[in-house]
Amino acid sequence: MQYQFLKQYNDQIELLTDSRLCELTNDKVMNNGKQAMYIPDDHQVNANRYTKALLESIKRRNVERCYHTEVHHIESLKQGYKVKTQNGSFYGKKVIVAGGAWSGRLVSPHLQSHNVTGVKGEALLVEHPTLNLNTTLFMTNGCYIIPKLQHRYMIGATSYFDDYSVGVSSVGRDWLLHQASTIVPQLKDSQMLHEWSGIRPYSKEERSVMDEVAQDLFVITGHYRNGILLSPYIGALMCEWLLTGQRPEDLQDFRIERSVDNAMHY
Ligand SMILES: Cc1cc2nc3c(=O)[nH]c(=O)nc-3n(C[C@H](O)[C@H](O)[C@H](O)COP(=O)(O)OP(=O)(O)OC[C@H]3O[C@@H](n4cnc5c(N)ncnc54)[C@H](O)[C@@H]3O)c2cc1C
């Protein structure tokens, strides 16, 4: 089904024979009787470097960033908004709430907390000096293996709904290592370098929310497993919206109130 869905948009996608799978993965993958699919134009970014680049970019534009400052409340004024934080208040004519899984708390009652919830995810970074796997592998159970520079492999990711805890659990670590080494047996001998967890913002039926919930008060959340990937484009669209006052065409379908037939499919 996923093959048919993706094939509509990318004609290059192919279902792989066993020999073609061996060829593409340097014979490192055990498909265990499962069908494999190849997506030629699937690329990756280094999220760590990307985030640093974004920080550098806002610094160059003299944007001030307040670290470790929790917003407690957003109050509507005659003109604009007062954003009350633990370190005093800020005023803005236009305000965008991009609080991830916690956004509902800040723009209630426009967006109820239960409409966007948190899905905890865990990931591992391992090293294997001789594996020589150069292709990203995605499994349909949510596990993936992404080759990185210097013989490193990122293994992700678990999903726990409504779990806001911090840190990688032993259950999660074991699941990731087990799933990854079932597909790439040599990963059993890899060395663990790093592990981390985060909370993905999940919206009902996986529909992102990008809306103006009251005049000049915007909320952007619910991008679940794709928030990093989509961020440059969404940033550009939001910039256009703020500057022109017109909702961009590509954001028409992301209102909080929507008809039932325009769900996003990830
Ligand atoms: C293990 C894992 C792997 C992932 N892999 C990918 C991937 O490969 N590709 C991809 O595109 N996406 C991936 N994601 C998903 C991606 O991280 C999210 O979609 C993205 O971070 C959502 O961005 P956001 O800005 O909406 O929310 P967040 O990144 O959650 O940012 C919201 C921020 O707002 C802060 N905040 C909340 N409330 C307040 C408040 N009251 N006051 C002040 N600050 C507040 C939070 O502390 C947080 O820092 C992954 C996520 C996880 C956990």
Side-chain angles (χ1 to χ4, degrees):
M1 200 176 111
Q2 202 171 21
Y3 168 73
Q4 277 142 5
F5 174 74
L6 293 171
K7 186 82 179 168
Q8 300 171 79
Y9 302 101
N10 184 350
D11 197 41
Q12 307 290 306
I13 287 172
E14 56 176 303
L15 288 175
L16 297 179
T17 58
D18 286 355
S19 59
R20 182 94 171 99
L21 177 66
C22 286
E23 184 193 325
L24 284 169
T25 60
N26 293 330
D27 209 3
K28 303 296 178 189
V29 169
M30 295 263 294
N31 66 337
N32 303 317
K34 294 204 173 89
Q35 175 72 65
M37 176 173 75
Y38 180 48
I39 308 175
D41 294 328
D42 192 57
H43 300 293
Q44 55 162 299
V45 292
N46 180 318
N48 191 16
R49 290 188 187 174
Y50 172 59
T51 310
K52 285 181 180 150
L54 289 179
L55 282 174
E56 182 58 30
S57 163
I58 61 171
K59 208 168 91 187
R60 287 185 192 182
R61 288 168 171 78
N62 299 318
V63 175
E64 193 186 336
R65 190 168 190 260
C66 307
Y67 290 86
H68 305 293
T69 304
E70 186 176 353
V71 175
H72 291 154
H73 184 65
I74 299 173
E75 187 185 321
S76 172
L77 304 173
K78 268 193 183 152
Q79 276 221 320
Y81 292 89
K82 179 178 181 179
V83 178
K84 291 185 185 168
T85 79
Q86 67 191 86
N87 298 326
S89 295
F90 298 84
Y91 296 85
K93 188 169 173 332
K94 299 187 183 195
V95 171
I96 302 177
V97 172
W102 301 269
S103 300
R105 291 186 195 169
L106 292 173
V107 287
S108 164
H110 307 292
L111 178 68
Q112 299 291 325
S113 288
H114 66 263
N115 283 340
V116 179
T117 52
V119 179
K120 178 177 174 178
E122 300 159 313
L124 314 174
L125 184 69
V126 301
E127 185 179 60
H128 192 300
T130 57
L131 177 57
N132 195 23
L133 172 73
N134 302 315
T135 316
T136 296
L137 302 169
F138 290 100
M139 274 63 82
T140 47
N141 62 4
C143 178
Y144 50 80
I145 302 164
I146 307 178
K148 297 285 180 184
L149 294 173
Q150 300 170 328
H151 309 290
R152 293 171 175 193
Y153 300 89
M154 183 178 158
I155 304 173
T158 55
S159 293
Y160 310 106
F161 280 77
D162 292 318
D163 183 343
Y164 292 82
S165 61
V166 178
V168 174
S169 62
S170 55
V171 174
R173 189 183 306 114
D174 290 349
W175 185 82
L176 290 168
L177 286 173
H178 175 73
Q179 295 302 327
S181 54
T182 302
I183 296 292
V184 181
Q186 277 179 260
L187 281 173
K188 270 195 194 118
D189 308 319
S190 58
Q191 190 198 339
M192 180 78 72
L193 294 182
H194 189 52
E195 56 182 34
W196 65 96
S197 71
I199 310 293
R200 311 175 186 100
Y202 177 86
S203 53
K204 266 190 179 172
E205 294 165 15
E206 296 187 20
R207 297 163 168 209
S208 314
V209 171
M210 293 178 268
D211 205 357
E212 184 175 14
V213 293
Q215 191 179 1
D216 294 331
L217 178 62
F218 301 83
V219 62
I220 305 180
T221 186
H223 293 91
Y224 192 36
R225 301 187 84 141
N226 297 294
I228 301 168
L229 175 82
L230 293 170
S231 60
Y233 189 50
I234 292 168
L237 290 173
M238 285 311 298
C239 178
E240 182 189 328
W241 193 350
L242 290 193
L243 293 177
T244 64
Q246 300 290 318
R247 184 194 301 262
E249 184 60 33
D250 280 1
L251 296 182
Q252 292 295 345
D253 288 340
F254 299 96
R255 290 180 168 87
I256 294 176
E257 303 298 337
R258 287 162 292 196
S259 61
V260 284
D261 56 356
N262 61 354
M264 275 188 77
H265 298 285
Y266 287 83

